[in-house]
Amino acid sequence: MLKLTFLGTSAGVPTKQRNVTALAIECLNLHTSGSSQGNRPHSNSQNKKSRPWLLIDCGEGTQQQLLHTKLSLHQLTAICITHVHGDHCYGLPGLLASAAMSGRREPLTLIAPKAISALLDGFILHTELYLPFILNFVSIEDLLSQEDNKIKIDLDNQHQLMIEVYPLSHRVPSHGFGITQTISRRTLNTDKLIANGIPASALWGKLQQGENVTTEDGQHLHSADYVHDDVQRTKVVIAGDNDTPECLSTAVMDADLLVHEATYTHEVMMAIQARNPDFDPMHSSAHIVGTFAQKMNLKNIILTHFSARYQGFDNPDSETPNMAYIRLDAQSVYQGNLWLAEDFAQYTVNGATDLADTQEGSQKESRVQYIGSARDHEK
Ligand SMILES: [Zn+2]
Ligand SMILES: [Zn+2]
């Protein structure tokens, strides 16, 4: 399961309600279990101290936004920067400096355009910024020049992440990231064990670990008869600034969720271009993203990166531009599940599970769910 927390949802400049772009993605494995009963689907024994997360973009003020969440810079595994515009990266030096001051020592991966490395070198040189941890810098340009534009991260032996990079269309080179989480899990068929008169005991744990065992009354039990091997795969695609969603046609084909900018409505985009034909902002309208999502048959999209002209409330009858304008612009062409991001809004994304061993080869359906605000606990 991936858990998304929007830390900034405004385009270009912050507003009182919206900071500039940043998105946290926690990589949760609800099935991590040290006990023999690994079949409890809701047991959440993933160590709080080992809940890795990714940060996609880091606009100015991202570290202050993080203070309102439960996310810790010590658990941050990687930062991905979509492009060099300030509303997506000006928060990076401050966030890294704070990670250093809070005693972080673990290496950190940074996937970003090459220019970001030069920017950080400048901060390190001119502001005596010292990072007491290794920054593994991966240049997007290098990644894209390789045949395999992916990075694999092993979180543990059952839990892997793959980060893919896709080129987009914007005023400067901009990119989307495909984040794929794979969780492998062996489930014990406890119903079958109980039906066969084998009560819960240490034998269950051995069977789950692949051992064949003999019960006290002499029954030989084969592990393979009592376990399923499941693989859950969850993929989200997070786009940077982009005026052509079709750049992501291949990327979204196997995705559970697309997060894309929708800076304004189509009407406003046209009006801006009509007023100044030489100015091409190179952003998407909600209508453009909705059209793409409908064409690709996407079940779930979250729009973000809204122009400061839109107020946060949702009222189609109001003359003040607000979220309803964006929502209706997308819904006029898109029939799937649509959410408009707000700062601190949290979503869970559960990809389908392949139940490899079941005869039906059945799948648990993928699901995206809004779960509230990260600031709810402050109320
Ligand atoms: Zn932007
Ligand atoms: Zn931009």
Side-chain angles (χ1 to χ4, degrees):
M1 176 165 81
L2 297 173
K3 181 176 168 188
L4 278 56
T5 304
F6 284 84
L7 299 167
T9 57
S10 184
V13 294
T15 69
K16 281 186 193 168
Q17 282 79 35
R18 298 181 185 274
N19 199 40
V20 281
T21 299
L23 169 64
I25 302 180
E26 287 172 85
C27 309
L28 305 180
N29 180 3
L30 301 187
H31 305 299
T32 300
S33 173
S35 76
S36 59
Q37 295 188 32
N39 61 316
R40 291 175 305 172
H42 299 297
S43 70
N44 184 0
S45 54
Q46 186 172 12
N47 187 339
K48 268 224 142 123
K49 288 190 172 165
S50 64
R51 289 174 61 149
W53 62 284
L54 308 176
L55 178 64
I56 315 291
D57 279 337
C58 187
E60 185 185 354
T62 296
Q63 61 166 321
Q64 285 91 333
Q65 298 290 87
L66 280 171
L67 297 176
H68 297 290
T69 73
K70 292 180 176 164
L71 296 159
S72 152
L73 290 177
H74 287 267
Q75 304 302 320
L76 179 57
T77 300
I79 302 175
C80 305
I81 302 290
T82 59
H83 67 299
V84 299
H85 281 156
D87 58 322
H88 297 257
C89 70
Y90 283 176
L92 196 52
L95 180 126
L96 293 175
S98 294
M101 277 188 256
S102 70
R104 182 186 170 111
R105 296 292 180 272
E106 305 79 22
L108 177 65
T109 297
L110 174 59
I111 306 171
K114 264 194 181 115
I116 297 293
S117 175
L119 179 85
L120 288 179
D121 286 346
F123 272 94
I124 288 167
L125 182 67
H126 298 297
T127 71
E128 297 198 0
L129 169 61
Y130 170 68
L131 301 180
F133 49 86
I134 295 166
L135 201 59
N136 290 321
F137 186 81
V138 181
S139 118
I140 285 183
E141 290 87 341
D142 287 351
L143 257 188
L144 289 175
S145 69
Q146 295 166 15
E147 213 170 286
D148 192 18
N149 57 343
K150 301 171 186 154
I151 292 186
K152 293 192 182 76
I153 298 175
D154 281 330
L155 297 171
D156 62 46
N157 59 0
Q158 295 172 321
H159 190 183
Q160 277 89 35
L161 272 190
M162 191 164 68
I163 304 176
E164 290 171 272
V165 183
Y166 315 105
L168 301 176
S169 166
H170 190 46
R171 249 178 302 152
V172 295
S174 180
H175 308 89
F177 294 101
I179 315 290
T180 305
Q181 178 196 43
T182 308
I183 297 173
S184 319
R185 186 168 66 108
R186 178 161 284 178
T187 315
L188 197 60
N189 188 343
T190 51
D191 291 345
K192 187 172 174 184
L193 283 164
I194 290 165
N196 289 357
I198 301 148
S201 73
L203 290 182
W204 281 23
K206 288 183 179 171
L207 285 170
Q208 185 163 22
Q209 279 154 25
E211 271 183 57
N212 299 329
V213 297
T214 306
T215 59
E216 277 179 10
D217 58 2
Q219 288 187 67
H220 298 292
L221 306 179
H222 291 274
S223 169
D225 295 336
Y226 294 97
V227 296
H228 297 304
D229 286 315
D230 304 342
V231 177
Q232 186 188 24
R233 194 186 140 286
T234 303
K235 179 177 182 181
V236 296
V237 173
I238 315 297
D241 290 359
N242 179 33
D243 64 7
T244 310
E246 282 74 14
C247 295
L248 293 166
S249 293
T250 312
V252 298
M253 275 204 262
D254 55 351
D256 299 295
L257 169 71
L258 168 66
V259 177
H260 200 287
E261 64 131 314
T263 305
Y264 22 53
T265 59
H266 212 60
E267 194 184 338
V268 166
M269 189 172 88
M270 290 307 179
I272 293 171
Q273 274 167 350
R275 266 202 307 274
N276 188 353
D278 296 331
F279 179 67
D280 186 353
M282 303 196 79
H283 286 294
S284 286
S285 66
H287 185 274
I288 288 178
V289 184
T291 303
F292 169 71
Q294 185 66 25
K295 189 180 81 188
M296 297 301 296
N297 215 2
L298 299 187
K299 278 204 193 117
N300 304 296
I301 59 173
I302 300 178
L303 301 180
T304 182
H305 194 274
F306 306 117
S307 159
R309 83 187 67 221
Y310 298 100
Q311 300 295 306
F313 62 87
D314 186 305
N315 180 356
D317 300 325
S318 169
E319 298 213 342
T320 306
N322 65 77
M323 281 300 113
Y325 288 34
I326 297 272
R327 181 171 56 76
L328 293 172
D329 199 41
Q331 283 176 338
S332 68
V333 286
Y334 177 64
Q335 272 104 50
N337 298 317
L338 167 76
W339 294 270
L340 308 184
E342 290 175 359
D343 284 23
F344 305 107
Q346 295 187 306
Y347 300 84
T348 53
V349 187
N350 270 296
T353 302
D354 282 320
L355 302 169
D357 273 9
T358 56
Q359 284 173 343
E360 309 86 44
S362 63
Q363 283 208 333
K364 270 192 218 157
E365 285 285 299
S366 92
R367 185 157 185 233
V368 178
Q369 202 177 2
Y370 170 71
I371 56 166
S373 166
R375 297 191 73 168
D376 280 348
H377 68 276
E378 292 177 1
K379 285 174 190 160

